[in-house]
Amino acid sequence: MSTIQGLTMPTNHIKMGKHGLLRIQHASKSAVSTKTVKDSFCRAGIYNSKTTSYDLKQILSNCTSTISIEEETHIMEVIPKLAAILNQNGELLDSDFNKYNIRVEESISSKDNLVLSRKRMVLLTNATLVQKEEEKRKKKEEDKLQNLEKKRVRKEKAEAKKTSKVAKKGNVKSVHMRENKQSDVESDEEW
């Protein structure tokens, strides 16, 4: 029996745990390599090893909706303009696609309002986008502090109201007690 961080376990359990952790470490090292990342980028069309650039045909072939040849040609024509917007703003919004008449899947809510990891097109290292996200974070933090302050004020008001009700009840009781004492005195005098 051995003790690790306050837990007493049989030695063979500790040994099996260590081997399990080493297997996980080895599997993650062998699964994520430069080659596997490069291959997945090629399959997605993000990178073409022959041209060392993106492969638009490969990207469009991965689309879940069917794209007509006219749409594909139009997209290829406006890609440089969209790339300029992406480089400037750090993201492409629905309005950017609408501006160039590119069909966007209809959904209940806009992808523009989602968290970064779920947005349509984002350059995480873009200075404009980083600044915009920092401003969002600060505003969210300020809103949270304001909400906490509002809750605190509401709680204080509720406690003050409760205290005043208790005080009123106390006054009412003392008035009733005085009245009762007076009636007792009067009834004593009658005897």
Side-chain angles (χ1 to χ4, degrees):
M1 294 290 254
S2 298
T3 303
I4 294 180
Q5 295 182 352
L7 297 173
T8 304
M9 290 185 254
T11 309
N12 63 337
H13 282 187
I14 294 170
K15 186 177 178 181
M16 286 175 20
K18 287 179 182 178
H19 285 292
L21 291 172
L22 288 172
R23 278 192 294 225
I24 292 169
Q25 183 182 21
H26 176 71
S28 59
K29 279 184 179 179
S30 61
V32 181
S33 66
T34 306
K35 185 184 179 335
T36 58
V37 171
K38 189 175 175 182
D39 290 347
S40 66
F41 278 17
C42 289
R43 280 194 304 277
I46 297 169
Y47 176 77
N48 183 328
S49 58
K50 294 174 186 158
T51 62
T52 64
S53 178
Y54 64 89
D55 184 354
L56 189 57
K57 288 221 181 267
Q58 181 64 31
I59 292 171
L60 295 176
S61 73
N62 289 321
C63 290
T64 53
S65 57
T66 54
I67 299 173
S68 67
I69 293 174
E70 294 83 25
E71 281 182 299
E72 191 173 314
T73 306
H74 176 68
I75 290 170
M76 288 187 179
E77 289 172 0
V78 296
I79 280 288
K81 295 173 186 172
L82 290 172
I85 293 170
L86 182 64
N87 283 331
Q88 181 182 0
N89 300 336
E91 63 183 333
L92 288 177
L93 306 172
D94 286 346
S95 59
D96 298 323
F97 289 99
N98 292 337
K99 181 178 176 182
Y100 292 105
N101 297 319
I102 295 177
R103 180 172 43 112
V104 176
E105 68 183 54
E106 294 296 321
S107 62
I108 296 170
S109 63
S110 171
K111 286 195 174 191
D112 299 345
N113 300 326
L114 299 175
V115 295
L116 279 179
S117 62
R118 299 200 54 216
K119 285 188 177 183
R120 185 171 281 109
M121 269 307 248
V122 178
L123 283 177
L124 295 175
T125 56
N126 182 280
T128 306
L129 182 72
V130 170
Q131 182 180 0
K132 186 176 165 183
E133 289 300 313
E134 181 63 21
E135 288 169 3
K136 275 188 200 175
R137 186 191 64 74
K138 284 180 181 177
K139 183 174 180 349
K140 189 175 179 181
E141 207 171 274
E142 288 171 4
D143 291 347
K144 186 177 179 180
L145 289 172
Q146 286 176 351
N147 287 337
L148 287 172
E149 180 63 21
K150 286 178 184 177
K151 282 181 183 178
R152 186 188 63 75
V153 168
R154 270 189 255 131
K155 187 177 180 181
E156 284 178 359
K157 284 182 180 178
E159 286 178 10
K161 193 174 182 181
K162 194 186 245 185
T163 306
S164 68
K165 282 184 180 179
V166 169
K168 284 180 183 177
K169 282 183 181 178
N171 287 339
V172 169
K173 283 181 182 176
S174 64
V175 167
H176 286 301
M177 288 172 70
R178 274 188 250 133
E179 288 173 359
N180 287 340
K181 282 183 182 179
Q182 280 182 340
S183 63
D184 287 345
V185 168
E186 288 171 2
S187 62
D188 285 342
E189 289 174 356
E190 289 175 5
W191 284 90

